[in-house]
Amino acid sequence: MKGKTRTPKSKIEQKEKAEKTIAKPALVEAKSEEIIVVTSTENTGAQPPYTFNKLKVRKPKQKAGGMPAVRSSIKHARKYMGLSNTSKTMFKLNQKGGIDCPGCAWPDPDDERSKLGEYCENGIKAIAEEAQKKSIGADFFALNSVVELQQLSDFELGKQGRLAQPMVLRPGTTHYKPIVWEEAFQLIGQELNSLASPDEAVFYTSGRTSNEAAFLYQLFVRLFGTNNLPDCSNMCHESSGKALGTTLGMGKGSVTLEDFDHADLVIILGQNPGTNHPRMLTALERCKERGGKILVINPLKEAGLLHFVNPQRMGKMLKGGTKLADLYLQVRINGDVHLLKAIMALLLHEEKLEMGGVFDMDFIMDKTSGYVNFVKDLLKHDFNDLQGGTGLKRAEIKKAAQLVKKANNIIACWAMGLTQHENAVDNIREVVNLLLLKGSIGRPGAGTCPVRGHSNVQGDRTMGIWEEPKSEFLDKLDEVFGFKAPRKPGFSTVEAIEAMYFGQAKVFLGLGGNFLSATPDTEVTAKALRKCRLTVQVSTKLNRSHLVHGQTALILPCLGRTDQDWQDSGEQLVSTENSMGVVQMSKGSLRPCSDELLSEPAIVAGLAKATLGKKTDLDWAQLISNYDNIRALIEKVIPGFENYNERVREPGGFYLPNPNRQQEFATKDKKAHFTITKLPKKELRPGEFLMMTIRTHDQFNTTIYGMDDRYRGIYNERRVVLMHPKDLEEAGFYPQQIVDIVSNYDQQERVARQFMVLPYDIPRQCLATYFPEANVVIPYNHVARESKTPISKSVVVILRKAE
């Protein structure tokens, strides 16, 4: 391993002292005296090692895409996939009838798709990671103990190779060993059936899981008897679903990809598409070419929002690309509600001054409720207070208001920058308020666009992966399958962590993902997992969740999106749902790296047979023999999937019903609702900062593709903190000084050790740093109101010189 490892001088506290504990805020039922103790420890294997490489810092890029993106794509494809697998996958990626990218959930064009390829740089990195040439099995694990593997970085873990056979780590042993599939299923079934209650098991899902696997998974879990189905939505767009559900009657976005061609204004809030959804830049490029404007609201300046050089358009490349943002507002972290209220206050003034014409009063009167009270509340706010919460100049806010005023058709896009705060649900409700004032819902070029992060995270929720399922869905399960589905709400992600910690949950099963690294409060989550009797991870590659485990641990290797899937009836296809509600097929093109891999649906069926036995008469083998049989069941349960097997095979798939597109709202009064929200108050004391976690350009969620953040000019290092130059100077630090990041919630100190502080263009008293390295300071029990999403984008911290 490259670089010098730095070990903190302070020793692990051997005893957790009572004075450092507090009464546990109850997310799940527990005895009053029970507490979760947070100890500031040195690395326990739950976190990546404290390792520094040779950092290189350059000026941040002002343009995204272009030849650097092409070169990076070719480099990753050749290095990890090889030329043969590259040619078999890249030209089928996101094509009709091809492979749905396992990366983000950005939609594909309905009509013609690029013959050069419907993929981006990070899409190529995603399939290069999944389809890498190396594989690991019994020999690898015999040579490497769990403790030894813990010393590898997350990047190094992912690059060890594809998992090639099921493995088990038994109590008291140090190395994973091979296990045959049937024995693994029986072990899990016996452990589940030995629980005092089905609610003592947690069944987590990643957004990579296909519709078919997700539907079978939730059916198995509910037949088993619990709604403990947390998923990655709990940590990202749960806040969007709550806000949109209460205001517009539907927890999904309303726009289609074509709407970007007709938008007068696209507002992008708390999102970095150049890294996280690069193909979105093509839609923004088209919007600009058709005369649309782009307003960006984001604390960091991001290359992909400033300028885009489309690598598939040679003329554009020769001319230097397309300028995107017409106005870029570097709002203070969590200053979005202040800013939106300020903009709407200016618009209200203009509406009164001009005697109408600024707001769409016909839409407001006919389609909405709550307008009068909303305006009364808006008038109570002092503009100076609103401006002060943004960190922006008055002239900047006025420019934004003018862009909104002149636009008839507005699309609002957002991501984690809005959804991971205590007031996250109100952030999105305020966005909806603005759209309602302009009548920008349900007409061409207008609407809501929550941009999902993982390729089927929205589809998994549609399939029933949810700890709080709607009664209509459960009633339909009862009707179709002849059993009484559980009605008691299950554990969300943060509730699952707490339940495992306190012994209320004793078995954890993860269908994809990297639970430990994706969740907040790394050390608490690690303790929770270690208290389980059994942890099971269904995975394609090695990750840190395999190395922090229960008394017994299983790794079950599965097929990836790029792999061919052959069952008794022949080659199978699976389906996914993108951010805009399009369900399309996906079919792998590569031979699997091992004959011992099973598909996710087959793994779920094996679990169900071993666990449920004769409790159900479902023929799991028959369902797996042909996935059309699974889709036939989905069709019976979930509205919008009529003629599923025929329609999913149509080129491009099909759209699910979306009433908002017809200005129909499934609220109690059948109207869209204005909402009165409170201003978030986060008073920072001297020396305190508001920290947000972000991705690098060489990263997708917890998967680390490389060590560079090219667009931000940071190379060969991840343990960095971005800080305003004046804040850095006033704090007495120098560039690249080693610091610890410290949070203190509920009188408990959490420490992320050994980070380099870098001067960067970011608002005052704001910090940015990468996850999962900084997750250790995010308190698991401080979450967004209503959605229970972790506050990963607004954590109060101090920086302390490292010992």
Side-chain angles (χ1 to χ4, degrees), residues 26-94:
L27 288 173
V28 299
E29 296 178 5
K31 297 177 182 178
S32 60
E33 67 269 18
E34 291 183 309
I35 50 176
I36 283 186
V37 181
V38 180
T39 54
S40 298
T41 67
E42 58 183 73
N43 204 333
T44 63
Q47 303 173 51
Y50 311 141
T51 301
F52 288 105
N53 299 294
K54 191 173 182 181
L55 170 69
K56 295 179 182 178
V57 180
R58 298 172 185 167
K59 287 185 178 180
K61 304 294 183 185
Q62 300 300 302
K63 297 180 179 181
M67 282 308 299
V70 174
R71 288 193 293 268
S72 175
S73 301
I74 294 172
K75 173 187 171 183
H76 278 264
R78 291 184 63 181
K79 183 174 182 179
Y80 298 113
M81 277 196 296
L83 292 176
S84 176
N85 283 352
T86 297
S87 64
K88 292 176 182 177
T89 54
M90 65 188 301
F91 296 110
K92 292 185 178 181
L93 197 61
N94 297 319

Side-chain angles (χ1 to χ4, degrees), residues 21-22 24 34-38 498 501-502 524 748 780:
T21 68
I22 58 163
K24 181 187 71 66
E34 291 183 309
I35 50 176
I36 283 186
V37 181
V38 180
E498 193 169 74
Y501 188 98
F502 287 109
V524 168
Q748 297 206 70
Y780 84 94

